[in-house]
Each structure stands twice: as structure tokens, then as C-alpha cells.
Amino acid sequence: MSHCSGYSDPSSFAEDGPEVLDEEGTQEDLEYKLKGFIDLTLDKSAKTRQAALEGIKNALASKMLYEFILERRMTLTDSIERCLKKGKSDEQRAAAALASVLCIQLGPGIESEEVLKTLGPILKKIICDGTASIQARQTCATCFGVCCFIATDDITELYSTLECLENVFTKSYLKEKDTNVICSTPNTVLHISSLLAWTLLLTICPISEVKKKLEMHFHKLPSLLSSDDVNMRIAAGESLALMFELARGMESDFFYEDMESLTQMLRALATDGNKHRAKVDKRKQRSVFRDILRAVEERDFPTETVKFGPERMYIDCWVKKHTYDTFKEVLGSGMQYHLQSNEFLRNVFELGPPVMLDAATLKTMKISRFERHLYNSAAFKARTKARSKCRDKRADVGEFF
């Protein structure tokens, strides 16, 4: 009975998180709990089904369970298909998010191809369904892009997915009769996700197809920089930087006709001081567009370093950055674990085979929750003390004058 109560509430996994699994649970306990979640995806209650889907997704995002899911991939795919077809907004989102992580676990191969073959038409239908929830369509667009990136071995399927996503985000393009500003709508979040998923797939297209897409979108995509939604402006800017990188990779002397007007727009966004925009939005936008402007004007990219365990990865181009950002959005805090252990992701980022560490090394690398709490408290006290000293100095200066 105590075991049953352990998985009767699927949300308990999400609350415990991966740390509890590492410290307190065994592989057998985890698999037993996951079997319970899989059974609960058939429950009559929509909330229970949703929580079960989220529980499985959180487990797969935080731990490699390839053998376990390989045996149950058909059951999992059937459950996801059923929840996508019959569920409402939140359940569809949970099902699509699980589908993404399922493909990440399986990696490229016949198994993930079968998942995409089953779920692809349903995802496409939801994305194109104007009556469906915007949030569900948004998650399905990301899922469709990620699953296609991993699983598709059919070039026509890749082109079909690109076209489906294009048909969505191009609705945000500035029309000739429009003013100079694109006003955001409830559909804007869907258009952003579709654009980002499309950009991800563009990175795996043959050169001939990349050239076609660049010709189609290079002169229209900059119109999205005038959107009143900061996330749309950033998504459009980063997609443009990536497109320039691809174009110059194919032709080192690539020439863009409207370079002057584009750099003016990018410079304006990199130094934006509009009072009607939120301070946080302006700060975020200026930081991103400084990098985008450098990429377009100087072909430069500010290298970023990502540390995970004893390893580190250098993100030194826009293609790598966009791929990393996409998978980080799907895996969340599990991204570092997957960079260490997931062979598919390690191949994508050219990290080589997983580094084998013995238990003693892993134990020395790990910081307990209590130690982390002490470290954070000490850091907070140090920051507070530094601020107080700074305030005291300012007060002294004020008194002197």
C-alpha cells in the first residue's frame, strides 16, 4: 500500500526533483514509480493524466533511462498520441513536452523515427488548428521542430515541416499596407516558437535548400525587428545572425543588398532608449542586439563557456548557440546532466564519448543541499555587507559636500 501511495500523486516527482532521486532513490524505485505514471496516463481525470505526463517528462529530463523507455516506447507513444488527440490545452502541452524529451532520450534511429511518424501528423494538425489553444500550439511547434531535428531521415518530411512552421510565423511579417510597427497579438508567442523551430531545422538542411530559404526570407525577416514584442524582436535578430552565418559559410564574399538599412535597425535596437518600453526589456534587448550587430557587421561571435561536471563546452557560433538554447528550453535544469551522459547531444555538440567517472569522484564533485544553502547564505551576506559599505561611503561624501 505504501508503494501505491508513492505514485498515486504524479506531481510528487516534479516536487522532489532529480536531486531526491540521486540521494534517496534507487533505479528500481524510480522505474517502479515511472511504471505507475505510465498507467496513470490512462486515468479518467485530465489533471491526473497531465500530472503523470509531467512526472515522466521530469524523470526523462533529469536521468538517462534509455533501456527502460526503449521497452515501453510504443506504450508511451500511444499515451502521448491519445492525450494530444483528446486532451485540452494543458494536457496537450504536457504530452508535446514529453514527446520532445522522449526523442532526446532515444536519439536518432528507427525508434525515434517511429515516434515522429506517429505523432508528426497530429502535431502538425494542432499547430495549424486556429481553434486550438495558443499555448498548446506553441509547445507543439517547438516539439515538432525538436523531434524532426532528431529523428527525420526523410528529406521530404524535413521540407514539409519547414513549410508548416513557415506558414505560421510568416503571418507576423510586415504587410505593404501596414505601418512601420508590427503590433503583437495573442498569436505572437506561437509565431516566435515556430520561427525558432524553423531556424533550428534550417541548420540541418542541404546547402541547396538553405539558399532557397535565405532568398525567400532574408528581405522579409527584418520586418519582425519592428515588432512591439521584445521576444519577437530578439528571435528575429538571432535568426538573422544565424542566417548570415550560414550564408557566409557557403560564400565567404556573401553580399547583402540592404546591409545599410539593416545595420541601422540593429544599431537602434542595440542602443534603444525608448521610454515606453520596460527597463528589463530594454536591458535584455540591448545586450542581445550588440552581439547580433557585431555578427552582421564584423562576423564576430562572443564565445560563451558552458560548464558541466568536470567538462566545459565552448559555444563559438550562432548555430551552436541556437541549438544549445533550444535543447536547454526543453530539458531545463537537466541540460547539464544530458550534456554529460546523452550520446546524441554529445554528438551534436562534438563532445566525444561520455567521460566515465568513478563513484568517489562523483561524490567529491557533488554539493549537498545543506552545503549549497550555506554557500548561498554566505554569498548573500557578503553582497549585503559590500552594499552597506558602498552606501556608507556615499553618505560620507554627501556630508562632506
Side-chain angles (χ1 to χ4, degrees):
M1 290 296 288
S2 63
H3 276 293
C4 289
S5 64
Y7 65 67
S8 59
D9 177 16
S11 62
S12 64
F13 184 91
E15 290 166 5
D16 292 345
E19 190 171 353
V20 173
L21 286 177
D22 295 340
E23 291 174 1
E24 298 167 10
T26 64
Q27 185 74 11
E28 291 78 13
D29 291 337
L30 171 58
E31 290 184 5
Y32 185 84
K33 199 169 190 179
L34 283 173
K35 286 173 190 173
F37 287 178
I38 292 169
D39 290 341
L40 289 172
T41 60
L42 303 172
D43 198 86
K44 289 182 179 180
S45 164
K47 281 190 175 181
T48 302
R49 291 195 303 272
Q50 181 193 332
L53 292 166
E54 289 170 353
I56 301 167
K57 183 255 179 186
N58 289 335
L60 299 188
S62 59
K63 204 168 183 70
M64 282 303 295
L65 297 160
Y66 180 79
E67 297 297 335
F68 177 83
I69 63 168
L70 192 62
E71 294 172 12
R72 296 164 181 81
R73 63 188 168 82
M74 295 305 295
T75 307
L76 276 169
T77 306
D78 289 345
S79 293
I80 293 168
E81 181 183 10
R82 194 179 302 106
C83 293
L84 283 172
K85 281 182 174 178
K86 298 183 178 179
K88 301 296 183 204
S89 175
D90 289 341
E91 188 178 343
Q92 287 176 318
R93 290 178 69 189
L98 173 56
S100 298
V101 182
L102 177 61
C103 281
I104 292 171
Q105 282 264 351
L106 292 171
I110 189 68
E111 293 84 8
S112 55
E113 284 174 32
E114 287 175 357
V115 172
L116 181 61
K117 193 174 180 181
T118 303
L119 302 180
I122 305 161
L123 292 168
K124 189 180 288 189
K125 187 178 178 182
I126 295 170
I127 293 165
C128 301
D129 182 1
T131 63
S133 147
I134 291 294
Q135 288 74 23
R137 295 170 70 193
Q138 179 187 5
T139 309
C140 286
T142 301
C143 172
F144 201 18
V146 167
C147 293
C148 191
F149 179 88
I150 297 166
T152 191
D153 198 32
D154 181 356
I155 202 74
T156 56
E157 181 61 36
L158 173 61
Y159 294 167
S160 171
T161 307
L162 281 166
E163 189 179 350
C164 168
L165 296 167
E166 266 175 348
N167 291 337
V168 177
F169 76 78
T170 52
K171 289 184 172 70
S172 272
Y173 279 171
L174 195 65
K175 309 296 186 293
E176 288 182 11
K177 60 181 180 179
D178 289 344
T179 58
N180 291 328
V181 177
I182 298 175
C183 297
S184 58
T185 68
N187 288 332
T188 299
V189 289
L190 168 63
H191 296 173
I192 293 169
S193 294
S194 299
L195 171 60
L196 295 175
W198 177 86
T199 306
L200 176 72
L201 294 181
L202 192 64
T203 65
I204 59 168
C205 282
I207 289 176
S208 58
E209 187 65 17
V210 172
K211 285 183 177 178
K212 284 181 191 174
K213 296 301 181 188
L214 294 183
E215 285 174 15
M216 284 174 62
H217 296 280
F218 241 144
H219 299 286
K220 295 178 181 177
L221 194 59
S223 70
L224 299 182
L225 298 173
S226 63
S227 170
D228 64 358
D229 184 293
V230 65
N231 293 315
M232 175 58 92
R233 294 194 297 274
I234 289 172
E238 292 187 336
S239 294
L240 276 167
L242 187 146
M243 288 163 71
F244 266 95
E245 187 173 272
L246 292 177
R248 286 164 175 166
M250 293 183 291
E251 299 174 25
S252 58
D253 58 347
F254 170 75
F255 176 73
Y256 183 69
E257 291 176 5
D258 299 325
M259 181 64 93
E260 191 175 340
S261 61
L262 177 61
T263 51
Q264 281 179 359
M265 288 179 76
L266 294 176
R267 193 171 287 106
L269 291 166
T271 57
D272 190 2
N274 257 326
K275 289 184 178 178
H276 68 273
R277 285 180 182 156
K279 280 186 180 179
V280 176
D281 286 353
K282 283 190 287 189
R283 198 177 300 120
K284 180 182 176 184
Q285 175 186 289
R286 286 196 294 256
S287 172
V288 172
F289 275 95
R290 280 195 293 269
D291 293 339
I292 294 169
L293 182 62
R294 280 170 61 189
V296 173
E297 277 192 322
E298 305 167 26
R299 305 185 180 213
D300 190 22
F301 181 88
T303 303
E304 299 173 23
T305 305
V306 176
K307 294 180 182 178
F308 48 98
E311 299 177 85
R312 62 183 61 199
M313 174 176 76
Y314 298 103
I315 298 176
D316 52 7
C317 63
W318 286 98
V319 170
K320 207 169 186 178
K321 173 179 165 51
H322 186 69
T323 308
Y324 175 80
D325 288 346
T326 302
F327 283 100
K328 190 170 187 291
E329 182 190 344
V330 173
L331 292 168
S333 60
M335 182 65 178
Q336 289 194 334
Y337 176 85
H338 276 264
L339 283 174
Q340 284 182 270
S341 312
N342 188 314
E343 287 189 18
F344 157 67
L345 278 185
R346 292 185 69 85
N347 285 335
V348 168
F349 294 108
E350 301 174 333
L351 296 169
V355 177
M356 301 303 292
L357 298 171
D358 56 58
T361 309
L362 284 169
K363 198 169 184 180
T364 57
M365 285 165 49
K366 191 167 183 178
I367 303 173
S368 72
R369 188 179 294 181
F370 178 66
E371 286 173 321
R372 190 159 59 244
H373 173 71
L374 289 177
Y375 175 80
N376 290 338
S377 297
F380 177 76
K381 284 176 184 174
R383 284 196 302 272
T384 308
K385 199 172 180 180
R387 285 195 200 104
S388 298
K389 280 184 179 178
C390 188
R391 286 195 196 101
D392 291 344
K393 284 177 184 175
R394 287 200 299 264
D396 292 341
V397 171
E399 286 172 14
F400 178 77
F401 285 105

